[in-house]
């Protein structure tokens, strides 16, 4: 009898302990990395948490709104403190340049804020063919410029042109803007670290 009573008591205590729920924040819809978090991106949830799991309490929702996603946030996932940041994707000494690109000037992979890319200057077809007074691009390796994606616009309905905002060193911003105005650029994904 004593063993049965002890077993029942320990089971009740375990059930009570595991039934303690905590109000936390979950992701209500996908948020790409680098995107500012809005009220609609978050929802409260009541869950039983293991002490090892770090989650943002629902009471801190207002402190999270306006911060940026440090990683891609997926719908339904618990929001952890390290997944948000107040840091901007544009650092000191950088400029933001909008790069308008046709589908053939972009990789098929979806771009997201925070991705490292390379802007490649492509030869001017008219100049290379002798169709204008502009000299052709010199032979050899094309000019390249490393950049960080800050935002990706929606494709234009008629043309499919996408404007990608990129952060580049301030010293390279004006030259890139001038090159972009000619349409003679292509965007490629930078190699991943460790590959």
């Amino acid at each position: 009898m004593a063993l049965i009573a002890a077993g029942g008591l320990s089971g009740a205590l375990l059930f009570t302990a595991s039934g303690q729920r905590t109000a936390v924040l979950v992701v209500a819809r996908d948020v790409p990395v680098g995107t500012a978090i809005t009220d609609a991106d978050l929802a409260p949830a009541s869950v039983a948490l293991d002490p090892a799991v770090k989650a943002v309490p629902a009471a801190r929702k207002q402190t999270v709104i306006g911060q940026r996603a440090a990683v891609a946030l997926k719908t339904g996932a618990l929001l952890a403190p390290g997944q948000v940041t107040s840091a901007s994707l544009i650092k000191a000494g950088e400029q933001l340049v909008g790069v308008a690109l046709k589908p053939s000037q972009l990789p098929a992979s979806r771009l997201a804020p925070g991705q490292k890319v390379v802007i490649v200057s492509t030869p001017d077809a008219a100049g290379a063919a002798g169709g204008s007074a502009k000299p052709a691009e010199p032979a050899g390796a094309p000019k390249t410029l490393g950049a960080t994606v800050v935002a990706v616009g929606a494709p234009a309905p008629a043309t499919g042109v996408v404007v990608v905002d990129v952060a580049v060193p301030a010293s390279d911003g004006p030259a890139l803007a001038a090159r972009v105005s000619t349409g003679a650029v292509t965007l490629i994904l930078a190699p991943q670290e460790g590959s």
Side-chain angles (χ1 to χ4, degrees), residues 88-115:
S88 171
L89 291 176
I90 305 171
K91 299 177 179 62
E94 291 185 332
Q95 288 182 331
L96 186 68
V97 179
V99 182
L101 300 161
K102 295 181 280 190
S104 61
Q105 295 171 294
L106 284 163
S109 299
R110 186 174 175 183
L111 295 173
Q115 272 185 308

